Amino acid sequence: MAKTDIGPPDYKTMLPPVIERNYGKWLYHEILKPGVLMHVGESGEALYSVRAGSPRLVSTDHIREICDIAEKYCQGFLRFTSRHNIEFLLDDEDQIEPLVAELKSRGYPVGGTGHSISNIVHTQGWVHCHTPATDASGPVKALMDEIYEHFVESKLPAHVRIALACCLNMCGAVHCSDIAILGIHRTVPKTDNSRVPNVCEIPSTIASCPTGAIRGDMKNKTLTVNDEKCMYCGNCYTVCPAMPIADPENDGISIWVGGKVSNARSKPMFSKLAIPFLPNNPPRWPEVVHAVKNIIEVYASHAKKHERMGEWIERVGWERFFALTGIPFTDQHIDDFDLATETFRTSAQFKWR
Amino acid sequence: MAKTDIGPPDYKTMLPPVIERNYGKWLYHEILKPGVLMHVGESGEALYSVRAGSPRLVSTDHIREICDIAEKYCQGFLRFTSRHNIEFLLDDEDQIEPLVAELKSRGYPVGGTGHSISNIVHTQGWVHCHTPATDASGPVKALMDEIYEHFVESKLPAHVRIALACCLNMCGAVHCSDIAILGIHRTVPKTDNSRVPNVCEIPSTIASCPTGAIRGDMKNKTLTVNDEKCMYCGNCYTVCPAMPIADPENDGISIWVGGKVSNARSKPMFSKLAIPFLPNNPPRWPEVVHAVKNIIEVYASHAKKHERMGEWIERVGWERFFALTGIPFTDQHIDDFDLATETFRTSAQFKWR
Amino acid sequence: MERSDTPLLDELEKGQWPSFVKDMKEAARKNPMAKDLLKQLELSYKDKIGHWKHGGIVGVKGYGSGVIGRYSDRPDLFPHVQAFHTMRVNHPSGWFYKTETLRKLCDIWDKHGSGLTNMHGSTGDAILLGTTTEHLQPCFNDLSDAGFDLGGSGSALRTPSACVGPARCEWACVDSLDLCYHLTMAYQDQMHRPMFPYKFKIKISACANDCVAAIARSDLSIIGTWKDAIRINADEVRAYAENINIQKEVCDLCPTRCMEWDGNKLKIYDEDCTRCMHCINVMPKALRPGKETGASILVGGKAPIVKGALLSWVVVPFMKLEPPYDELKDLIERIQDWWDEFGKSRERLGELIQRLGMRVFLKAVGLPAVPQMVKAPRTNPYVFFWPEDLKKEEK
Amino acid sequence: MERSDTPLLDELEKGQWPSFVKDMKEAARKNPMAKDLLKQLELSYKDKIGHWKHGGIVGVKGYGSGVIGRYSDRPDLFPHVQAFHTMRVNHPSGWFYKTETLRKLCDIWDKHGSGLTNMHGSTGDAILLGTTTEHLQPCFNDLSDAGFDLGGSGSALRTPSACVGPARCEWACVDSLDLCYHLTMAYQDQMHRPMFPYKFKIKISACANDCVAAIARSDLSIIGTWKDAIRINADEVRAYAENINIQKEVCDLCPTRCMEWDGNKLKIYDEDCTRCMHCINVMPKALRPGKETGASILVGGKAPIVKGALLSWVVVPFMKLEPPYDELKDLIERIQDWWDEFGKSRERLGELIQRLGMRVFLKAVGLPAVPQMVKAPRTNPYVFFWPEDLKKEEK
Ligand code: SRM
Ligand code: SRM
Ligand code: SRM
Ligand code: SRM
Ligand code: SF4
Ligand code: SF4
Ligand code: SF4
Ligand code: SF4
Ligand code: SF4
Ligand code: SF4
Ligand code: SF4
Ligand code: SF4
């Protein structure tokens, strides 16, 4: 019988000796070049981390390749980052260049540090989930190919964090990203009332709807959606499989901007709607790639140093953001959920554009 | 038969000649001294306005006295301000000093301009309304006596606008004042179900409750309040006289700070809760007077020039405001109505005090 | 010395600020209503509770509003205020008066009422405080003869009000007084015969200083502004520099930081200016609003009841406002029609928009969505699409 | 040349960024599940729709969570992914691995699953992507033997995660890794046996840069901070001054403007500092967090479903955090007990507090109200009073 509740391996057994010795006693760091960090301890000892990009959806052979590299240069010590990059941990400065060279030759991008675009946090999409309105890995790959330079170089005004979630559940918390790419449905779920009695609990389905669009008939065990109140979040489908919502023609992607998580300078902020809808256009989602690149370029050429996307927009104003990016403003940009009034312009201060 | 729908007298017939001549063609103004404004037209002509305080609740004899003065110095032209002060309108500079002298001798305070505390906008209170939780004119008089110097002088960092409303209906819109004094009830209305069928409409009474605390029984024509959900707003009483809420022992006053209306520098802001409760202590409400003076003094000694109360607090932080004023912070300060989450500190940025 | 009937209120005759108790006593000397009011108020000061009953519906012929009914809960003690109704009287725009007009008002009120008034009520009306039911109609007749009319109450339009504007202020971007008068005259019917879901208030400030607090307390707030550049008088700027620190007091407090001062010349990047008025306020001799003036239209402002207080928000960034104000009146009527159709009883315009959403409102009244309407776009992904936004489904 | 089965996906092998399609093909070469996954994904690319059915409940003995059930809606076409469940595996704190450990994981997964993984999932688990129902238990057995355990799913605690913290970062104010490991071990039961109203996430960032995005995506967010002064190395400040504009890049961007730089000396008014990290971030050699370190505890963060997204907010401004972390664990348990008692099904902690109010929450968990909990006090006057706040009524 397998042991249960043993928890994960103790991280202490996973740390390279240089970390063990300097644990909690680091003094400062420097970014030696994009993707290469040096952390210096109070002891004077240095740890070098080389960060490489990853598609996150990786095969066991790919992991073994990473292991091979780590064994060759890092005594077998490595880590993954909170954005799913790979970090090779070295104590020997001389190994940096050979490692970087080998990584490049094997097609691993080295970068993601400082004022760059790091890996795109993303989710399952069509690879494994049941509620996606788009794929995850595909748009990420298509986009990273096009903004590759911003991963391997560090030439933006500040960090730009991009995330993608394939449905409104927002796994990965795209809601606080400089640029969020979000799969959305746009049509009302098609309730199959013949299945409802078997697979759905009526009260919890009703409760699942954020806008109260679902009415239930307890006697006949049926559910009805008020089309006018439904904003296609898909939450009812999560609790009731008889309410599928995917719709190949009308599902797609929305783009959100200006969120952040860190407390540096400004407080954490949610991302705000920039583009309500772009079509799903596999395999390379050109409309999405184009839209995101446009936003990055406008940001890069207008923001001041250290200014995150949201900080820049707050400074110049949303009217200016829409003018500069050429993105049309629509009634969909205006909040109409619970806290909507907090977003209304309750002042006479605004710019003409 | 009296003519109906004739509307008010045409304002054009009420304007002094100097205004008629310079209407819409003013060039600039100067505050010659507290309470005395000079407006200069493109024509070079000047209009002088002398502003005097008023209790607002005035007798016809008082109005006649004002008329006497206006006739003596201003050819019978005067106006009232949006804060219920009286303005005497002169075109002869030489009349200013005699006018000011006469006003002073008759007990009219001259001031309220510039960085002063102007008249307190207020409401009916026990003088005429049916829902007050406190009096209006009384606390205003008691307070103005104590902060008189701030009306007749102009030595604060910026305008301080004080308003008082005797119940949550907030006539006069105290909700955007530098300091708002608000009458509040603190006990649940006592429903008289014997009167409900005659004087109340059940559905509209239920609908009147912001927190959904009222249940109705349509058959027996009764109303029940869920004590736990009631926050004593008194709105049910407004629509249903059988639900009186006044309670001499527990009614009183709350103090709110940091609101503003103008768009100058910062956007208009609501006032925020400073002191949840002070007792009704007629005739001079010493606790209220003391509390407001304390807030004014702390503000006066800490804010920068041109910084309104709310702007100062936003700059230094609410934790600092409570520390400097010595006002205790309680769970009542934390919002728990509809938009509460918008007020929570969703960041790691704060001061220790 | 005689013992006073009103020992508590007497305390409020002391002190430097003008005393309402003095005014009440003045009136009480000649008027029994005022006398009973004073005594009832003293009782309230003793009991710490009001002594008025829940208001009743009283009025004048042909009108459904303009009078607030009021009855004492102790008519046994204070028979002269058994009925003590308030009359709300339309004020002249900007609260300008000639003394002869004011004197007429006083005479009428001495004849029919308590002799006590509020100059003015918070909405802006001249408030005639306390008369009997019988006196309402005769009082109204006299008012009407003297050229006065009643304001609003109940589910009706209220007397619009306006800042002093072009009559005395160099910053007026619209003729607030004329517009106020025009709207007051145009909407007499809506004011006097309640037919809306609830009250509706209009206030006009001729610039962003908002001296009538329009944004905080009107369902429709009109705030003057301009489209072109701030007018700079460079010499006067330099003159100010001798007395104030322009960098600190002006440039550093500009919300958009769109000004540069090099110690000699002031440069404003007008495309970034949000016309907050601060720089102009501090240097009125040196700076003036631009010449292409008009107003922003905002809607939804109100006090807390029922769903919480709202400040008005922008729905039309810029509208030229010139007589006969047709564009504005059209808009007001489209807005009121929609509110009238969909608003529940006691639901203010702002609350209705809150309930149904801006997109529904904008479509109904025919206004285009623009970024100036929001502080920021939505953060939640609960986005509705209009049917016409979608591709036809294949099946 | 042979026509490819996956012409659409093949397009995603092109380009410079590492391709997941390459990995899928790699796995597909030896694994039929991976092969069918690839083909089903191609179909999705063609159809623009997912081909997975609504998840079912599957698991391993004794656990109610850790596995996400998944079934193809085209088992006719892709029989090898008819069942294709994901296993969520607890990661070592900070995602540190020795290669030997990783290799073990790979071997197990080649034996039991598709050979495809996510390193890592968004919550932080090592995600083993796709196996059959029969393989779940044997796979778990092998994982357990290798020292691994499952993470959470359903209405259970999720694997806590932490920033790299003291292992590599000079700014760590708490031992995020040790705390993460400690909590993960302490709460194995809550993680593996769903008994909450909904999911519960804990994330730990050892400073306010929040490198695990704790504030945005955990019900309980722990963010390191300090109470004393920022440590300044004056020489290093001067050294930075040669490369950067300290006034512009540091002082002017300080959110509280509490720094003064005179070209030679940097002065920080620490009582005004909100420890945002910006100045330290820009000059890591010159500035360091203080020595009196601990963490702020925030609660309520979550994604939009159902009531809208929330960021966590402060409930304990400062807590010292040292093993055995009793104060913290007490608090977590009090919070979870309250949530457990009052939370509706699928109601996250933040939503429950939103529904019942902070005052009820604070009282229940025994925390004092402090101004650090709010951006600003309430603006609406709908204030509740506890019965004990009131005077006894006389009648
Ligand atoms: C490795 C990692 C932590 C981990 O446990 O895995 C990490 C490591 C460091 N972060 Fe971070 N951060 C990491 C994710 C984050 C995240 C979370 C995220 O992106 O999802 C954030 C919040 C992002 C946001 O606000 O949306 C984050 C916000 C920061 C900041 C604040 C940036 C800002 O100005 O807003 C700093 C400070 C800086 O870089 O100047 C920072 C600084 C650092 C430093 C310099 C800390 C140090 O002294 O070692 C590390 C190197 C940064 C670099 O890449 O240049 N780290 N950092 C994560 C790397 C992710 C990746 O692969 O790219
Ligand atoms: C007479 C009056 C208009 C009226 O139609 O009656 C008026 C008149 C002027 N206001 Fe005002 N304001 C008047 C109520 C207001 C209000 C409304 C209120 O207080 O309820 C506000 C909004 C207050 C708020 O934000 O809460 C208001 C915000 C301003 C401001 C912006 C102040 C700020 O920095 O926030 C200015 C600009 C300034 O004074 O520098 C201003 C400036 C002025 C100027 C200088 C305009 C001018 O050039 O003539 C006038 C003399 C001001 C003075 O008293 O120093 N006026 N002013 C009102 C006098 C009320 C009183 O008796 O005290
Ligand atoms: C007389 C006056 C106060 C004063 O002393 O100045 C007043 C007095 C009353 N107001 Fe008011 N309101 C007065 C201006 C206001 C204002 C300010 C304004 O209009 O600029 C407001 C806030 C702005 C707004 O409308 O939102 C205001 C918000 C209310 C409310 C809450 C409305 C809301 O939607 O939140 C009520 C409650 C109601 O309508 O049932 C209310 C109700 C009342 C009633 C009619 C009491 C009631 O529940 O029926 C009061 C009658 C008192 C009496 O016996 O005379 N009064 N009331 C003001 C009208 C005088 C005038 O005509 O000039
Ligand atoms: C695998 C993963 C995405 C990924 O590719 O990384 C994931 C996948 C799913 N998430 Fe998630 N969530 C994952 C991290 C998150 C995160 C991020 C985090 O934990 O830091 C969030 C946002 C933070 C939060 O919890 O609020 C997240 C918010 C949701 C929600 C919305 C919850 C809410 O309260 O708003 C749902 C909906 C639900 O629970 O019914 C959801 C539901 C799901 C389900 C179980 C679908 C469902 O409706 O039952 C997905 C299963 C996919 C599959 O077939 O494998 N997932 N989910 C992540 C877990 C991997 C891991 O264990 O490491
Ligand atoms: S975001 Fe939605 S579709 Fe994507 S993995 Fe999460 S639950 Fe599934
Ligand atoms: S999709 Fe969302 S909004 Fe529409 S009925 Fe389902 S739960 Fe409600
Ligand atoms: S604030 Fe309340 S009590 Fe005072 S006058 Fe207005 S409605 Fe009456
Ligand atoms: S007083 Fe207010 S909260 Fe209490 S029952 Fe009446 S309407 Fe509801
Ligand atoms: S609102 Fe503007 S225009 Fe009107 S009086 Fe005030 S400052 Fe002058
Ligand atoms: S009006 Fe306001 S925003 Fe415009 S320049 Fe002057 S201070 Fe700046
Ligand atoms: S959160 Fe702070 S302590 Fe943790 S890794 Fe990031 S910068 Fe370092
Ligand atoms: S940590 Fe942030 S708030 Fe504190 S001094 Fe540095 S920049 Fe300013």
Side-chain angles (χ1 to χ4, degrees), chain C residues 186-328:
Chain C
Y187 296 132
Q188 286 285 307
D189 190 30
Q190 284 91 322
M191 197 177 321
H192 293 140
R193 293 166 201 92
M195 47 189 166
F196 289 145
Y198 201 11
K199 61 188 75 171
F200 195 96
K201 297 183 178 173
I202 300 178
K203 287 185 165 66
I204 308 153
S205 282
C207 86
N209 282 328
D210 198 358
C211 294
V212 283
I215 204 166
R217 47 191 196 132
S218 50
D219 301 271
L220 189 101
S221 318
I222 299 169
I223 299 185
T225 195
W226 65 92
K227 291 211 88 166
D228 49 345
I230 290 179
R231 287 177 280 172
I232 307 182
N233 179 329
D235 293 337
E236 292 290 352
V237 174
R238 276 185 291 271
Y240 274 105
E242 297 184 3
N243 296 304
I244 65 170
N245 182 332
I246 292 187
Q247 182 60 41
K248 265 198 165 169
E249 290 190 42
V250 182
C251 304
D252 287 354
L253 295 179
C254 167
T256 61
R257 297 283 197 282
C258 66
M259 320 180 86
E260 274 169 22
W261 167 244
D262 63 6
N264 180 50
K265 207 174 152 6
L266 184 74
K267 162 92 191 119
I268 302 182
Y269 293 88
D270 288 281
E271 67 281 14
D272 283 337
C273 164
T274 53
R275 303 165 314 286
C276 83
M277 290 297 299
H278 174 69
C279 57
I280 300 175
N281 290 343
V282 177
M283 306 195 292
K285 275 187 171 171
L287 304 179
R288 304 178 72 184
K291 292 175 154 182
E292 198 189 337
T293 59
S296 304
I297 316 293
L298 299 84
V299 302
K302 58 173 287 290
I305 299 296
V306 180
K307 297 277 169 217
L310 295 172
L311 290 164
S312 287
W313 60 92
V314 178
V315 295
V316 180
F318 188 80
M319 192 184 273
K320 269 215 123 18
L321 284 179
E322 273 155 15
Y325 309 108
D326 283 338
E327 191 183 347
L328 177 66

Side-chain angles (χ1 to χ4, degrees), chain B residues 29 31 37 39 51 79-85 87 112-114 118-119 121 159 161 176 178 259-262 264-265 306 308, chain C residues 95 162-164 168-171 209-213 281-282:
Chain B
H29 78 278
I31 303 181
L37 302 165
H39 283 81
R51 184 179 296 171
R79 71 179 292 266
F80 295 84
T81 71
S82 63
R83 296 189 81 82
H84 316 304
N85 287 312
E87 285 181 342
T113 54
S118 186
N119 211 342
V121 165
H159 299 69
R161 305 299 205 198
C176 295
D178 294 284
K260 74 189 277 277
V261 163
S262 81
R265 299 167 309 282
H306 300 296
R308 296 280 297 266
Chain C
W95 302 283
C163 78
V164 66
R168 196 186 59 193
C169 184
E170 68 270 32
W171 299 326
N209 282 328
D210 198 358
C211 294
V212 283
N281 290 343
V282 177

Side-chain angles (χ1 to χ4, degrees), chain B residues 233-255:
Chain B
C233 69
N235 197 36
C236 50
Y237 177 58
T238 295
V239 301
C240 169
M243 299 183 74
I245 191 168
D247 171 350
E249 289 313 308
N250 288 302
D251 290 352
I253 277 176
S254 56
I255 309 287

Side-chain angles (χ1 to χ4, degrees), chain C residues 34-264:
Chain C
K35 194 166 184 186
D36 271 3
L37 177 67
L38 186 69
K39 292 199 297 192
Q40 180 177 308
L41 187 62
E42 177 74 12
L43 184 64
S44 284
Y45 269 58
K46 194 165 150 279
D47 293 350
K48 304 201 226 175
I49 195 163
H51 281 293
W52 298 109
K53 285 203 270 196
H54 202 280
I57 294 164
V58 285
V60 303
K61 250 181 280 169
Y63 283 16
S65 68
V67 179
I68 304 294
R70 189 65 71 222
Y71 303 91
S72 172
D73 72 356
R74 297 304 305 268
D76 52 329
L77 298 177
F78 315 113
H80 296 286
V81 294
Q82 181 266 334
F84 194 69
H85 313 312
T86 270
M87 299 188 80
R88 295 180 169 174
V89 177
N90 277 168
H91 66 284
S93 282
W95 302 283
F96 280 94
Y97 289 97
K98 280 207 305 222
T99 50
E100 49 186 274
T101 317
L102 272 180
R103 287 186 195 276
K104 271 194 232 165
L105 215 51
C106 292
D107 295 343
I108 296 171
W109 196 234
D110 277 345
K111 181 171 158 202
H112 295 289
S114 70
L116 285 166
T117 74
N118 289 142
M119 295 302 275
H120 292 79
S122 307
T123 306
D125 294 311
I127 300 291
L128 303 181
L129 210 58
T131 187
T132 59
T133 313
E134 304 75 59
H135 267 287
L136 289 173
Q137 188 65 39
C139 184
F140 174 73
N141 295 349
D142 285 353
L143 285 170
S144 173
D145 288 348
F148 282 100
D149 204 337
L150 297 188
S153 65
S155 292
L157 184 73
R158 295 302 148 86
T159 311
S161 73
C163 78
V164 66
R168 196 186 59 193
C169 184
E170 68 270 32
W171 299 326
C173 295
V174 291
D175 190 338
S176 48
L177 301 182
D178 187 58
L179 178 57
C180 180
Y181 184 58
H182 189 101
L183 296 177
T184 308
M185 295 308 284
Y187 296 132
Q188 286 285 307
D189 190 30
Q190 284 91 322
M191 197 177 321
H192 293 140
R193 293 166 201 92
M195 47 189 166
F196 289 145
Y198 201 11
K199 61 188 75 171
F200 195 96
K201 297 183 178 173
I202 300 178
K203 287 185 165 66
I204 308 153
S205 282
C207 86
N209 282 328
D210 198 358
C211 294
V212 283
I215 204 166
R217 47 191 196 132
S218 50
D219 301 271
L220 189 101
S221 318
I222 299 169
I223 299 185
T225 195
W226 65 92
K227 291 211 88 166
D228 49 345
I230 290 179
R231 287 177 280 172
I232 307 182
N233 179 329
D235 293 337
E236 292 290 352
V237 174
R238 276 185 291 271
Y240 274 105
E242 297 184 3
N243 296 304
I244 65 170
N245 182 332
I246 292 187
Q247 182 60 41
K248 265 198 165 169
E249 290 190 42
V250 182
C251 304
D252 287 354
L253 295 179
C254 167
T256 61
R257 297 283 197 282
C258 66
M259 320 180 86
E260 274 169 22
W261 167 244
D262 63 6
N264 180 50

Side-chain angles (χ1 to χ4, degrees), chain D residues 32 39 77 194 215 234 248 252 301 303 358:
Chain D
K39 291 200 295 190
L77 297 177
I215 204 164
K248 267 201 162 165
D252 288 353
M358 271 290 276

